[in-house]
Amino acid sequence: MSSPKFSNSLINETSPYLLQHAHNPVNWKAWNDKSLEEAKTQDKLLLISVGYSACHWCHVMEHESFEDEAVAQIMNENFINIKVDREERPDIDQVYMNAVQVMTGAGGWPMNIVALPDGRPVWGGTYFRKEQWKDALKQLSGLYKTKPEKMKEYASRLEDGLQKLQLIDPPKEVTIFNSDFLTENLEKWKKGFDKKNGGSRGAPKFMLPVNQNFLFRAAIQLNDKELKDHTIHSLNKVSYGGVFDHIGGGFSRYSVDERWHVPHFEKMLYDNAQMVSLYSKAFAYTKDNWYKEVVYKTLDFVKEELTDNTGVFYSALDADSEDANGNKTEGAYYVWKKETLQKLLEADFQIFEAYYNINSFGKWEEENYVLIRSKSDETIAEEFKLHLSELKSKKEDWLKLLKKEREKRIKPGLDDKSLTSWNALMLNGYVEAYKTFGEPEFLEKALKNAEFLQKNQLKKDDRLWHNFKNGKSTINAYLEDYVFCTEAFLNLYEATFEEKWLELAEKLIEVCLEDFQDQKTGLFYFTSSKDKALITRNYELNDNVIPASNSVMAKNLFKLSKIKGNLKYSDLAETMLKTVQKQIKTQPQSYANWLDLMLNFTNTFYEIAIMGEDAHAIQKKLQQEYLPHTIFAGSTEQSEISILKNRFKENSDLIYICNNGKCELPLNSVEESIQKIKHF
């Protein structure tokens, strides 16, 4: 192989996204003190380009502009060019995304920012065609050379606006949580429901598991049949759609259409982690075997494609892959031609065609089909006069055959960096699946990952690293890393009753109180006080494709307080929720995890303490039920943990159902306990 014509300093980085740009003619640099100082020394504008390895439009812009020598010349002569992997540096992404949204009213990736040498933004946007990009860069560099004071004046005004975005005042009036607030905001939210396709109206359509999780819980706890029907309809539509990979398992990031048919084909660890949790809980309530199949197939995908032999999880699979002609196109690995399917499936094609809509409903473009279901197994079996067991057997054979055929194709690129926050989400997914299905392998995977995080990502002072690649961690953790690890360790404690996970969760919370908390509001900044400041220090409050780090923090504080009896934690959780409550009313669907926390305050929340020799067997039976308004603690011996203290009795298996630390007389019947707990 001939050596590349160009190389830049990104060749020394570990991020797969940065390495993709290491042989561009653009003189890219990584975000570091040296690059930022260079901009000041040379008095050059910064050009900050942010993306991620699985981003389709990032690849398009790279091919059109960043691989073009004429474009590179303009960039190299006039700017210090910095490439940022948004997954490695979510802090930089957040700050400049806020700026782009203020300047343009929209955001997305790739995100391109031009900033003054001191880092303050003056211009930005997302994807640009080559000629647009060249014209903009010429104008901006010309303006900075001739009228720098104009740019500096605009940067100051924008900086002031960005600072004001982070101003949040604690509530002045006394706030009381009540179910009316929940009901009013749910009614407001319902107006945007897509009754036909599930989820919310419009396209593109994101699965937003945090929203579905809250809506499902609210429907059951508030006894709202309309809401329950909608959430189950949504779960079915999403998993029947092309966003779910029916052959290899796992979910893509979003659907480009309203009916969950054609995905944006990248597969992210964080989506699959949360979808495993969501469908495990949905199975616990409905006992619908399709949801079990979705969970098992998704975990098969994670095991086969996103898991390292050390137990750590990789980040993503690319949207693009090589087609039969050697061209990189979106979804090439996943789509099918009708004639290929006919040849492979032979006599079974007619049933397969009806099952996965190899017709006008399932057609995408260029005679390609994306598999999508629209009928239940029962309906198809009846149509073709088959027993359900016969259809199930056929389906297993089809999928094995097609998977084997698909594996002959060139796979999409793998982003093999590991992120602490996303690993914790996947760990949590495995724990939820274990609690629901009781599969020992799921707990083994969870424990292996937890041990990896403890050994490699936890420093001696209980601080965390954010990233891991090639045996190295280089970036200090953000709030998201701490809160998702805390959540996962708390859940792991609930599933195992091993106290070390509870102790570790509390240590991480104490670090957050020291390094991240804003004493004025009670909220937590995304970045640590120990790290070098960016142009603004942000809170993350809106729940999105991943829950906001502050809402997860508040829920962790609430749960830990229930086990440890530390009122300081529950008081802080309440203060945080009160601080955000006013904003919830503006757009409730952006605060689903906060509303989930509010249910803990407005409705009954139980602490379940299980004591005795058979504590683990009892725990397993109870945790296979859908009990979202509980937290579990237990021991097979005396324990000093607040909720368990003085509750152990020799030769007795006891189930204590407690509320705010006050426990009713213990029960020893699992069935009786379930009935009592389910009384919302």
Side-chain angles (χ1 to χ4, degrees):
M1 281 178 69
S2 59
S3 58
K5 185 177 178 183
F6 302 100
S7 291
N8 55 51
S9 66
L10 297 186
I11 199 76
N12 301 311
E13 298 299 311
T14 58
S15 154
Y17 177 65
L18 299 187
L19 289 169
Q20 282 167 11
H21 294 78
H23 298 297
N24 294 165
V26 177
N27 186 20
W28 291 117
K29 300 171 190 298
W31 179 284
N32 52 43
D33 290 347
K34 185 183 172 190
S35 305
L36 298 173
E37 193 54 45
E38 208 174 310
K40 290 176 187 171
T41 307
Q42 296 182 26
D43 193 26
K44 273 187 172 182
L45 291 170
L46 287 163
L47 194 158
I48 304 157
S49 183
V50 183
Y52 60 102
S53 71
C55 165
H56 171 71
W57 288 102
C58 300
H59 299 322
V60 172
M61 191 162 176
E62 179 193 14
H63 180 63
E64 290 176 352
S65 295
F66 304 148
E67 291 176 356
D68 184 284
E69 292 181 42
V71 174
Q73 188 177 352
I74 297 167
M75 291 172 69
N76 295 339
E77 285 175 4
N78 298 288
F79 300 89
I80 298 297
N81 302 292
I82 294 182
K83 254 288 165 205
V84 176
D85 180 338
R86 68 172 291 260
E87 296 163 357
E88 273 199 341
R89 293 302 304 262
D91 54 334
I92 297 168
D93 180 58
Q94 268 187 20
V95 165
Y96 288 111
M97 184 60 76
N98 284 345
V100 167
Q101 287 172 335
V102 166
M103 288 186 280
T104 69
W109 299 277
M111 173 173 64
N112 294 288
I113 289 274
V114 170
L116 295 177
D118 61 11
R120 290 182 297 159
V122 292
W123 178 87
T126 53
Y127 165 76
F128 294 92
R129 292 193 302 276
K130 183 165 77 172
E131 292 310 315
Q132 282 179 308
W133 182 242
K134 284 164 69 178
D135 290 346
L137 297 187
K138 285 173 187 172
Q139 285 179 42
L140 287 159
S141 58
L143 185 62
Y144 188 64
K145 284 166 188 164
T146 56
K147 295 178 180 173
E149 67 287 345
K150 274 201 166 185
M151 273 191 164
K152 287 172 185 173
E153 186 190 328
Y154 177 71
S156 296
R157 288 203 311 272
L158 180 58
E159 182 186 21
D160 188 46
L162 292 172
Q163 297 284 4
K164 283 175 181 167
L165 281 179
Q166 300 305 315
L167 290 178
I168 293 172
D169 294 318
K172 293 178 176 66
E173 69 279 2
V174 176
T175 313
I176 297 166
F177 303 134
N178 59 60
S179 51
D180 288 347
F181 181 87
L182 280 163
T183 308
E184 284 163 22
N185 281 285
L186 277 168
E187 290 306 314
K188 189 174 182 180
W189 190 341
K190 284 178 186 178
K191 288 173 185 171
F193 282 177
D194 183 339
K195 301 274 176 73
K196 182 183 176 185
N197 299 300
S200 295
R201 284 196 298 271
K205 236 177 166 70
F206 288 83
M207 297 166 297
L208 298 170
V210 64
N211 288 17
Q212 294 302 320
N213 185 65
F214 162 67
L215 292 172
F216 192 60
R217 178 185 173 187
I220 291 154
Q221 273 197 257
L222 302 176
N223 197 25
D224 185 332
K225 186 179 182 303
E226 179 199 2
L227 187 56
K228 185 169 83 173
D229 289 347
H230 179 75
T231 51
I232 289 173
H233 179 60
S234 299
L235 289 168
N236 290 338
K237 284 289 187 181
V238 169
S239 56
Y240 274 23
V243 285
F244 179 65
D245 180 356
H246 294 273
I247 292 168
F251 290 86
S252 293
R253 201 161 77 89
Y254 64 87
S255 162
V256 300
D257 53 64
E258 288 191 335
R259 57 195 180 95
W260 307 104
H261 179 214
V262 179
H264 208 350
F265 289 90
E266 68 263 51
K267 287 180 172 179
M268 314 301 292
L269 179 68
Y270 63 78
D271 281 320
N272 286 285
Q274 292 176 91
M275 295 302 269
V276 165
S277 294
L278 176 64
Y279 280 88
S280 295
K281 291 174 186 176
F283 176 86
Y285 181 78
T286 64
K287 310 302 182 196
D288 183 333
N289 279 321
W290 168 240
Y291 297 164
K292 182 177 182 177
E293 189 177 328
V294 168
V295 170
Y296 277 61
K297 282 182 79 77
T298 302
L299 288 176
D300 281 345
F301 157 71
V302 171
K303 181 168 71 173
E304 289 168 19
E305 303 292 349
L306 296 179
T307 307
D308 183 79
N309 58 16
T310 61
V312 73
F313 303 115
Y314 301 134
S315 293
L317 283 183
D318 207 336
D320 299 351
S321 48
E322 279 188 32
D323 62 18
N325 301 315
N327 301 315
K328 269 206 161 187
T329 56
E330 200 180 351
Y333 185 72
Y334 301 101
V335 299
W336 297 92
K337 301 282 187 197
K338 187 173 183 174
E339 53 272 26
T340 307
L341 294 169
Q342 285 171 323
K343 188 178 170 187
L344 288 166
L345 297 161
E346 299 173 337
D348 267 1
F349 176 73
Q350 194 184 356
I351 310 169
F352 183 92
E353 180 182 36
Y355 197 93
Y356 289 114
N357 287 288
I358 310 304
N359 50 36
S360 58
F361 186 76
K363 189 186 269 192
W364 177 30
E365 60 185 22
E366 296 177 11
E367 300 304 314
N368 286 318
Y369 290 84
V370 176
L371 305 189
I372 179 171
R373 291 180 59 187
S374 54
K375 294 175 182 175
S376 68
D377 282 8
E378 289 76 8
T379 304
I380 295 283
E382 197 177 314
E383 259 180 53
F384 289 91
K385 297 182 172 48
L386 298 166
H387 288 295
L388 269 175
S389 59
E390 205 180 342
L391 177 63
K392 188 184 175 191
S393 175
K394 281 182 179 295
K395 186 177 152 188
E396 284 172 6
D397 290 343
W398 301 336
L399 298 180
K400 269 184 204 161
L401 180 67
L402 294 184
K403 192 177 181 196
K404 194 176 173 186
E405 181 67 20
R406 198 171 78 173
E407 282 168 355
K408 295 174 185 173
R409 302 173 183 177
I410 295 170
K411 283 187 176 182
L414 171 70
D415 185 329
D416 62 352
K417 71 173 179 293
S418 298
L419 302 173
T420 299
S421 51
W422 296 9
N423 267 255
L425 281 168
M426 193 65 244
L427 160 56
N428 205 45
Y430 266 112
V431 175
E432 286 297 343
Y434 170 71
K435 282 159 70 172
T436 299
F437 302 107
E439 289 281 0
E441 186 196 347
F442 296 165
L443 182 60
E444 285 163 23
K445 296 280 185 195
L447 286 167
K448 191 172 183 181
N449 184 256
E451 299 288 358
F452 178 91
L453 293 176
Q454 192 178 19
K455 181 184 169 188
N456 295 281
Q457 300 304 89
L458 188 69
K459 306 178 200 177
K460 288 190 173 117
D461 62 356
D462 296 326
R463 268 77 186 170
L464 290 167
W465 292 108
H466 173 62
N467 66 327
F468 183 86
K469 176 85 195 291
N470 299 341
K472 287 190 301 186
S473 300
T474 54
I475 300 166
N476 288 331
Y478 304 104
L479 183 62
E480 65 174 28
D481 299 299
Y482 286 92
V483 300
F484 288 125
C485 280
T486 303
E487 178 184 51
F489 295 150
L490 280 173
N491 208 5
L492 199 51
Y493 167 72
E494 284 193 81
T496 62
F497 294 160
E498 285 184 38
E499 291 184 18
K500 71 172 183 177
W501 303 117
L502 190 62
E503 288 161 15
L504 192 46
E506 188 163 25
K507 280 179 184 174
L508 295 180
I509 277 181
E510 289 301 322
V511 169
C512 290
L513 290 167
E514 187 179 332
D515 293 357
F516 292 86
Q517 194 182 20
D518 174 8
Q519 296 299 327
K520 185 185 168 193
T521 62
L523 296 170
F524 293 78
Y525 290 112
F526 190 75
T527 49
S528 168
S529 56
K530 297 191 182 307
D531 286 326
K532 192 168 181 180
L534 299 173
I535 55 167
T536 56
R537 198 173 179 204
N538 292 354
Y539 308 115
E540 187 182 52
L541 301 177
N542 288 33
D543 299 312
N544 204 301
V545 293
I546 295 178
S549 44
N550 267 282
S551 68
V552 181
M553 182 70 186
K555 284 175 79 172
N556 290 340
L557 288 161
F558 178 89
K559 283 189 164 186
L560 193 60
S561 76
K562 296 298 177 186
I563 296 177
K564 301 286 282 189
N566 188 336
L567 291 176
K568 176 183 86 168
Y569 293 153
S570 56
D571 288 349
L572 179 52
E574 190 173 346
T575 299
M576 292 169 74
L577 182 54
K578 284 176 177 175
T579 302
V580 175
Q581 189 173 1
K582 197 174 173 184
Q583 290 176 242
I584 294 174
K585 287 191 265 191
T586 59
Q587 200 171 14
Q589 61 270 38
S590 297
Y591 297 90
N593 212 36
W594 292 104
L595 289 166
D596 196 82
L597 172 63
M598 192 175 282
L599 270 171
N600 295 350
F601 287 104
T602 60
N603 291 54
T604 307
F605 190 92
Y606 292 121
E607 306 98 50
I608 314 297
I610 306 170
M611 305 299 288
E613 205 175 295
D614 284 340
H616 293 293
I618 293 167
Q619 161 204 33
K620 277 184 183 177
K621 287 178 187 170
L622 285 172
Q623 290 184 350
Q624 284 179 348
E625 299 294 321
Y626 180 66
L627 305 170
H629 58 311
T630 60
I631 187 158
F632 285 80
S635 180
T636 55
E637 58 189 17
Q638 291 285 2
S639 173
E640 290 302 303
I641 293 170
S642 174
I643 194 67
L644 304 180
K645 199 169 183 180
N646 302 324
R647 295 216 156 97
F648 180 81
K649 288 187 175 60
E650 288 288 347
N651 304 316
S652 296
D653 293 312
L654 302 171
I655 303 164
Y656 292 87
I657 300 172
C658 316
N659 180 236
N660 285 327
K662 297 186 183 79
C663 303
E664 297 180 14
L665 288 172
L667 302 170
N668 46 33
S669 160
V670 170
E671 290 70 27
E672 195 181 338
S673 300
I674 289 168
Q675 290 313 309
K676 200 163 188 64
I677 296 164
K678 280 186 174 178
H679 186 69
F680 296 118

